[in-house]
Amino acid sequence: PYQQIWCLNVFKKYILIGCSKGRFEVWDAITGTNYSNEKWNSGITMIKADNYKLAVGHIDGVLELYQFDDNLNSKPSEFHNSTYYEENHEPSHQTLHFHLLNFIRAHSQPITALQLNNNHLITGSSDRLLKVYKIETGACVYTLHGHFGGISCLEIDSVSGIQKATCPFNGLHLIYLIS
C-alpha cells in the first residue's frame, strides 16, 4: 500500500524516502531496485545517510541509526526488496543489508532537523533542543539549549576543522562549536 512521502534525500546512487506510516524506502537510482522497511509505525520526518550510515528520525522523537552495505550477490536482508524491470534491462542481484545500530528515544517531540558525519549525529526537534550523539555508541554527548522555538534546520561544517552546527529559527542563527 502507498504511503505519503514526508521526507526525501539522496546518498550516492540511492534515493532515500521516509513515509507517513513509518516505512522507509531506499531506491537504487541506476537499477530501479527498491528496498523498504516497515518495522516502525511512527511517521518518518527526517532521513539522511553518510558513510553508509542511515539515520531515520520519527514524528514521535525516536531516532534509528542503521549501518548498510551494498555488496553484490549478498544473502537476502531482513528488508523487502523488489526490482523494477525495463525492456532490455537485466535485473540486479544486488541486495542492501541494513543492521540496526541504535534505537534512541531522542526527543519528546518530532525530529525536524538531522545531520550526520563520520563521528557525530545531530538532531533538532520541535522541543527546542539540539542533541549530539556519538555514532559509534549512540550515546548523547551534548544537549544544546537556547532556542525559543522549534529547530527548523541544521548544518555541520566539517571543512573548517571545528564542526559547527547552525540552526536558523525566525532569522536567528545560533552557532555551536562541537569538537
Side-chain angles (χ1 to χ4, degrees), residues 54-142:
L54 177 68
V56 178
H58 291 270
I59 197 166
D60 61 359
V62 167
L63 174 65
E64 296 173 295
L65 184 62
Y66 295 89
Q67 174 74 45
F68 73 98
D69 67 66
D70 59 359
N71 293 331
L72 295 175
N73 301 316
S74 300
K75 296 183 290 187
S77 72
E78 62 182 283
F79 296 93
H80 173 266
N81 72 41
S82 60
T83 305
Y84 174 75
Y85 296 93
E86 289 185 12
E87 191 174 319
N88 300 324
H89 185 312
E90 289 294 320
S92 171
H93 296 291
Q94 178 180 7
T95 301
L96 285 179
H97 292 274
F98 291 84
H99 173 69
L100 181 64
L101 298 175
N102 291 298
F103 178 92
I104 303 163
R105 177 102 20 218
H107 292 275
S108 63
Q109 293 187 19
I111 295 175
T112 55
L114 178 72
Q115 289 292 338
L116 68 156
N117 65 12
N118 291 336
N119 301 315
H120 295 102
L121 172 63
I122 303 174
T123 60
S125 172
S126 297
D127 64 9
R128 304 180 317 194
L129 297 174
L130 279 176
K131 292 193 177 182
V132 181
Y133 296 90
K134 290 291 255 183
I135 287 181
E136 291 297 317
T137 63
C140 182
V141 293
Y142 301 110

Side-chain angles (χ1 to χ4, degrees), residues 7 9-10 35 43 51 54-56 65 73 103 110 141 145 157 159:
C7 57
N9 211 320
V10 175
Y35 309 91
N51 200 26
L54 177 68
V56 178
L65 184 62
N73 301 316
F103 178 92
V141 293
H145 304 267
D157 175 19
V159 175

Side-chain angles (χ1 to χ4, degrees), residues 10-16 29-30 49-52 68 70:
V10 175
F11 170 71
K12 297 190 182 275
K13 66 177 185 166
Y14 300 108
I15 300 168
L16 314 171
I30 297 170
D50 186 44
N51 200 26
Y52 289 94
F68 73 98
D70 59 359

